[in-house]
Amino acid sequence: MTGKILVILFIGFLAFAYQSISPPPPRICGIPNGPPITTPRIKLSDGRHLAYKEQGVPISREKYKIVFIHGFDCCRHDVAFASTLSPVMPFFAISSHSS
């Protein structure tokens, strides 16, 4: 009888420990009580959003347009050539990130 009670108490303790160390659910941007949307983005036809970042000279002075499409190992903030080429070559770059 005491063995069954100890097993039940041990299982209850494990359940409590699991709940206390599990992370909270993620907060989705743009919903009530969620973090604000801080980047420009467009809504795609399938319901997802495409966030983008504009870099380079202003559009009125640009001569070249560059669209940076990244793979899985980088993001829209990884356009390293934007800061180095912007003084030399007047271009406007758009890098995207789907979410």
Side-chain angles (χ1 to χ4, degrees):
M1 182 70 177
T2 59
K4 289 182 182 180
I5 293 174
L6 287 176
V7 168
I8 291 172
L9 287 175
F10 182 69
I11 291 173
F13 173 75
L14 287 178
F16 175 74
Y18 174 76
Q19 286 182 350
S20 66
I21 64 171
S22 63
R27 295 178 9 184
I28 300 173
C29 292
I31 64 169
N33 298 328
I37 299 170
T38 58
T39 183
R41 63 185 192 161
I42 58 173
K43 188 169 187 174
L44 302 175
S45 60
D46 62 358
R48 295 180 299 157
H49 290 91
L50 181 70
Y52 60 92
K53 184 175 184 181
E54 300 172 346
Q55 296 176 333
V57 298
I59 296 177
S60 60
R61 293 192 311 133
E62 56 94 3
K63 289 187 180 178
Y64 306 100
K65 294 180 182 169
I66 299 173
V67 177
F68 179 71
I69 302 171
H70 65 82
F72 287 110
D73 60 344
C74 61
C75 69
R76 68 181 181 273
H77 303 293
D78 288 345
V79 185
F81 61 84
S83 61
T84 57
L85 287 180
S86 184
V88 178
M89 184 174 73
F91 73 92
F92 182 74
I94 296 178
S95 55
S96 64
H97 177 73
S98 63
S99 56

